[in-house]
């Protein structure tokens, strides 16, 4: 059985590029990757916005392109589960059946998930897709990598590919020197300025994704009071809007704005205004996600929302896992109006009712900003671009200077 997967992607009939059930970015990515690997084996990057169907891209890319097994690497367990479910041939709702990409499942495609104790090499040998998260594959224990011969995978797909410059990724790419490497990301650059491995060969614009109804229509709103005062480095005087616009280029000033109760109150009030505006349109219970500088800051922000009678909880990585799971369950079931996070609920956290993103901290670079606003991009109503529930608001304070990132975010399309 070990030999059989080398042929399935070449022999099975798969309807991808002319299939009306397959989204535009999924078709375009397939076409671009197919053409690239006809002439080159250099690694490539696909730039596809959050919510446009990256899982579907990974489910379809190997067909007609890979000559052997495909390895899918995700950055975390949340995303790994989503991908593994979509690629489960025994699930009647799997991606290929749902979209009519494959009609004959008698010989696969099969997938196995590297998840600790249950996985083994025998399962991998019998599979066409192997799905893992990076920590499982390239951990210090080195349980998996040495087991796979260098030609074991013909294609490697890296989800959230902006992480792929880390040492553990380099180890993976070195292990399989002949594999076709495809990284998928909404942000093809990292906070530290380094770029992922590969050349961008396909970009799907955010604006196009909005027009097609794949993601919400996104509106940016900045609170711009005529003047603000805050205590920072003993600076207690009031600043006019004009001064704010000059000073906001400075990191110390942005930090001061972020922590100033008066500024936080303004963001809270504006974000609630947009939340209620969205809820009143159709009665759908939209929710709000906020990002804070620290755990203490998150608690202060929670208090401000609670003064307006909203049900709120903060969430941060040091919390006990059970507590975190409980808070996320409350968010998903609609018990909460708002969640305030500190470096949490990042990539792969998929909850469409989140429609207002309130920014209470400065972002040093574009990548984390886009990752955060990505949380409110997923549509409530599938494929209905003009539906009133498919709108999202990004709310911040003019002094935090996030509109510079907003402008850059819109430029990414060009």
């Amino acid at each position: 059985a070990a030999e059989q997967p080398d042929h399935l992607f070449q022999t099975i009939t798969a309807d991808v590029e002319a299939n009306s059930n397959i989204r535009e970015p999924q078709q375009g990515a397939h076409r671009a990757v197919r053409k690239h690997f006809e002439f080159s084996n250099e690694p490539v990057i696909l730039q596809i916005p959050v919510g446009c169907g990256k899982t579907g891209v990974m489910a379809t890319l190997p067909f007609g392109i890979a000559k052997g097994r495909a390895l899918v690497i995700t950055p975390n367990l949340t995303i790994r589960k989503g991908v593994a479910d979509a690629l489960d041939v025994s699930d009647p709702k799997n991606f290929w059946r749902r979209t009519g990409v494959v009609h004959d499942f008698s010989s696969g495609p099969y997938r196995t998930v590297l998840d600790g104790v249950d996985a083994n090499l025998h399962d991998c040998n019998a599979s066409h897709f192997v799905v893992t998260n990076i920590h499982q594959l390239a951990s210090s224990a080195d349980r998996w990598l040495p087991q796979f011969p260098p030609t074991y995978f013909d294609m490697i797909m890296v989800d959230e590919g902006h992480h792929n410059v880390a040492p553990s990724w380099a180890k993976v790419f070195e292990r399989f020197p002949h594999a076709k490497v495809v990284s998928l990301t909404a942000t093809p650059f990292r906070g530290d300025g380094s770029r992922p491995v590969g050349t961008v060969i396909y970009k799907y614009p955010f604006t196009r994704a909005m027009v097609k109804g794949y993601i919400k229509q996104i509106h940016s709103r900045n609170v711009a009071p005529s003047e603000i005062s805050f205590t920072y480095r003993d600076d207690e005087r009031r600043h006019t809007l004009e001064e704010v616009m000059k000073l906001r280029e400075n990191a110390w000033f942005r930090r001061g704005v972020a922590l100033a109760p008066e500024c936080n109150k303004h963001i809270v009030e504006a974000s609630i205004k947009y939340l209620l505006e969205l809820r009143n349109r159709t009665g759908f219970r939209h929710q709000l996600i906020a990002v804070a500088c620290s755990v203490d800051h998150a608690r202060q922000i929670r208090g401000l929302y609670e003064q307006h009678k909203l049900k709120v909880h903060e969430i941060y990585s040091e919390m006990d896992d059970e507590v975190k799971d409980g808070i996320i369950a409350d968010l998903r079931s609609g018990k909460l109006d708002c969640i305030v996070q500190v470096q949490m609920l990042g990539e792969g956290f998929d909850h469409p009712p989140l429609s207002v993103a309130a920014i209470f901290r400065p972002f040093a670079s574009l990548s984390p900003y886009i990752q955060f606003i990505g949380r409110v991009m997923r549509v409530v109503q599938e494929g209905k671009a003009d539906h009133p529930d498919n709108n999202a608001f990004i709310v911040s304070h003019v002094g935090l200077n996030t509109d510079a990132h907003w402008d850059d975010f819109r430029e990414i399309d060009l």
Side-chain angles (χ1 to χ4, degrees), residues 128-397:
H128 308 101
F129 286 91
V130 175
V131 182
T132 183
N133 53 307
I134 186 65
H135 305 294
Q136 183 76 45
L137 181 67
S139 65
S140 48
D142 254 355
R143 182 182 157 205
W144 281 109
L145 271 186
Q147 293 199 53
F148 298 127
T151 55
Y152 196 80
F153 295 106
D154 187 64
M155 180 179 276
I156 299 175
M157 290 177 279
V158 179
D159 190 22
E160 300 298 350
H162 50 279
H163 295 298
N164 82 7
V165 288
S168 43
W169 296 105
K171 212 156 78 169
V172 174
F173 300 148
E174 280 159 23
R175 180 71 189 158
F176 309 108
H178 308 296
K180 304 170 175 73
V181 175
V182 182
S183 295
L184 297 94
T185 178
T187 52
F189 32 75
R190 291 166 51 85
D192 59 12
S194 58
R195 298 185 70 84
V197 177
T199 313
V200 177
I201 59 159
Y202 182 74
K203 288 182 185 186
Y204 194 73
F206 282 97
T207 41
R208 179 90 184 138
M210 288 184 213
V211 168
K212 295 288 284 185
Y214 299 150
I215 60 175
K216 289 181 183 133
Q217 305 282 336
I218 305 160
H219 315 275
S220 175
R221 298 284 184 266
N222 269 317
V223 185
S226 54
E227 52 173 43
I228 63 169
S229 73
F230 60 83
T231 309
Y232 189 80
R233 296 189 174 169
D234 308 320
D235 165 11
E236 289 200 29
R237 59 193 197 82
R238 296 192 73 77
H239 296 277
T240 64
L241 183 58
E242 203 176 344
E243 287 176 303
V244 170
M245 299 309 269
K246 282 190 190 124
L247 286 168
R248 67 187 191 155
E249 297 292 331
N250 301 311
W252 69 266
F253 184 83
R254 293 196 296 271
R255 182 94 187 152
V257 169
L259 298 175
E262 182 189 4
C263 301
N264 288 342
K265 223 172 84 205
H266 285 139
I267 301 172
V268 165
E269 286 162 4
S271 60
I272 292 174
K273 183 186 117 179
Y274 292 112
L275 179 68
L276 296 177
E277 186 183 301
L278 281 171
R279 285 180 172 184
N280 292 337
R281 287 179 188 180
T282 65
F284 180 82
R285 235 181 113 71
H286 291 272
Q287 290 163 305
L288 190 153
I289 184 168
V291 59
C293 294
S294 64
V295 175
D296 280 347
H297 189 214
R299 292 193 180 118
Q300 288 166 19
I301 291 166
R302 173 188 177 173
L304 291 172
Y305 278 112
E306 285 178 338
Q307 286 172 15
H308 292 270
K309 306 284 185 283
L310 263 62
K311 289 194 167 47
V312 191
H313 219 296
E314 71 279 1
I315 190 165
Y316 49 91
S317 49
E318 296 80 18
M319 273 181 167
D320 200 56
D321 280 350
E322 276 178 38
V323 178
K324 272 192 276 209
D325 292 345
I327 293 168
I328 289 172
D330 284 351
L331 179 72
R332 291 200 185 279
S333 68
K335 281 185 191 156
L336 295 179
D337 297 294
C338 168
I339 193 153
V340 186
Q341 56 103 327
V342 186
Q343 295 180 327
M344 274 280 302
L345 304 186
E347 295 153 354
F349 184 74
D350 179 0
H351 183 56
L354 291 172
S355 300
V356 178
I359 299 175
F360 292 86
R361 56 157 278 198
F363 284 106
S365 64
L366 184 58
S367 197
Y369 171 81
I370 293 180
Q371 290 301 330
F372 177 64
I373 67 173
R375 306 288 66 84
V376 298
M377 282 187 196
R378 293 188 184 270
V379 290
V380 171
Q381 299 288 340
E382 281 289 331
K384 297 180 180 168
D386 299 327
H387 197 284
D389 282 329
N390 289 342
N391 281 275
F393 288 94
I394 317 297
V395 182
S396 190
H397 192 288

